[in-house]
Amino acid sequence: MENFRNFEKKDNKDVIECYKKQRTYQTVDYVLKMRNKYCVFDNTNSFWELFDMLKDFVDLSDPDISLPNHQHLFQTAEGLRKDGFPEWMQLTGLIHDLGKILYKKGCDKDGTSMKEQWGIVGDTYAVGCKIPESIVYPEFNSLNPDMEKSTYCTRLGIYQKGIGLDNVLFSFGHDEYLYQLLKFNNVKLPKVAMHMIRYHSCYLWHQEGEYLEFENEDDKKYKEKVQIFNKYDLYTKENKIYDYDEMKKYYGPIVNKYFKDVIYW
């Protein structure tokens, strides 16, 4: 297991640069601006057309794997399928990174392009409060201008205890974009699945024990399930290529149960 999330690799130049920019530019103002700009769903495609957009996307923040993202999605879903998890959770594995299609309508300036991914990928953290030292590359925390503002640099920041994670602003990326996309398209996944999608990149919460003061009862109830899901997101990564047509044959009927023919993105 120690081979995964190894951020100390000497060849991590792209990973380090991505996190440095994320920590520097992801502020409260940036997050609000990106939500308003990108969570407007006026493009339309079918599910598999959207899925195919990830065939060429390689996550610059991931130190573990350099395969296109659609193969990682197959790996996660197949791991859950193999261990007998229900269809809704297999589907959650299949789509959890689908929000990275954000690069199709993004730009370098926003960090939402193929070249500049710091507004799409990477571990997420709460903005509007102090960034914990348990985050990856904590040496970059001081680069965030919000940490110089008295309102934002305390443990609670602009929030109250028990407010619930859904009422906390997190750094913008594929998690939040997909969560909002699914809500807009009225995709009827269980609430715990929506937690898996929205917070699977927030290792600070589900692995490091941060943000406990913000949790409400739902957050506490779903955390263990998010942690289980995270194991399949992380530990199924390998350089195995799945047959696309075979995967589509199995997952197609499951997709059709939850998604309409046309998806707004």
Side-chain angles (χ1 to χ4, degrees), residues 29-69:
D29 288 345
Y30 170 85
V31 170
L32 292 174
K33 183 179 179 181
M34 294 303 103
R35 281 194 179 190
N36 289 332
K37 180 176 181 178
Y38 289 111
C39 294
V40 176
F41 306 105
D42 49 12
N43 299 311
T44 56
N45 283 96
S46 70
F47 176 88
W48 293 107
E49 286 172 340
L50 294 180
F51 195 85
D52 286 350
M53 292 178 187
L54 293 181
K55 280 187 174 182
D56 299 318
F57 188 89
V58 177
D59 188 331
L60 294 180
S61 74
D62 193 335
D64 301 321
I65 191 171
S66 57
L67 288 177
N69 232 114

Side-chain angles (χ1 to χ4, degrees), residues 100-257:
K100 293 174 184 177
I101 60 170
L102 187 59
Y103 84 95
K104 282 291 187 178
K105 56 180 182 180
C107 63
D108 290 352
K109 181 182 178 182
D110 292 342
T112 51
S113 67
M114 181 77 83
K115 179 183 176 183
E116 296 286 346
Q117 298 181 16
W118 51 267
I120 302 177
V121 301
D123 290 13
T124 56
Y125 59 92
V127 297
C129 61
K130 185 177 181 180
I131 306 172
E133 289 297 305
S134 55
I135 199 170
V136 295
Y137 303 119
E139 63 268 28
F140 296 146
N141 290 357
S142 61
L143 300 177
N144 191 296
D146 279 357
M147 294 304 95
E148 298 179 0
K149 300 177 181 178
S150 59
T151 311
Y152 297 151
C153 68
T154 63
R155 187 171 179 84
L156 286 177
I158 58 175
Y159 309 109
Q160 299 83 42
K161 289 184 178 180
I163 193 173
L165 295 184
D166 284 350
N167 295 308
V168 174
L169 285 174
F170 285 86
S171 50
F172 186 74
H174 70 281
D175 309 54
E176 183 64 26
Y177 177 73
L178 179 60
Y179 172 81
Q180 297 295 344
L181 181 155
L182 294 173
K183 284 183 61 180
F184 185 87
N185 284 276
N186 200 29
V187 176
K188 299 294 187 182
L189 281 167
K191 190 170 182 181
V192 63
M194 299 295 275
H195 248 57
M196 292 171 181
I197 287 164
R198 199 175 197 183
Y199 304 115
H200 72 269
S201 298
C202 191
Y203 281 80
L204 285 170
W205 173 57
H206 58 69
Q207 297 300 319
E208 299 297 334
E210 304 287 357
Y211 304 136
L212 301 184
E213 61 270 30
F214 299 143
E215 289 181 342
N216 60 18
E217 291 307 310
D218 279 349
D219 300 324
K220 295 173 184 176
K221 180 171 63 174
Y222 297 145
K223 181 186 282 186
E224 185 177 356
K225 294 289 181 65
V226 174
Q227 290 169 334
I228 291 171
F229 177 81
N230 173 255
K231 292 177 182 178
Y232 289 87
D233 180 12
L234 185 58
Y235 298 129
T236 57
K237 293 177 183 177
E238 57 179 337
N239 288 316
K240 177 179 179 180
I241 303 294
Y242 283 93
D243 182 85
Y244 186 84
D245 291 332
E246 185 180 313
M247 292 294 98
K248 190 173 179 180
K249 182 178 180 180
Y250 174 76
Y251 289 104
I254 300 176
V255 167
N256 292 340
K257 289 181 183 179

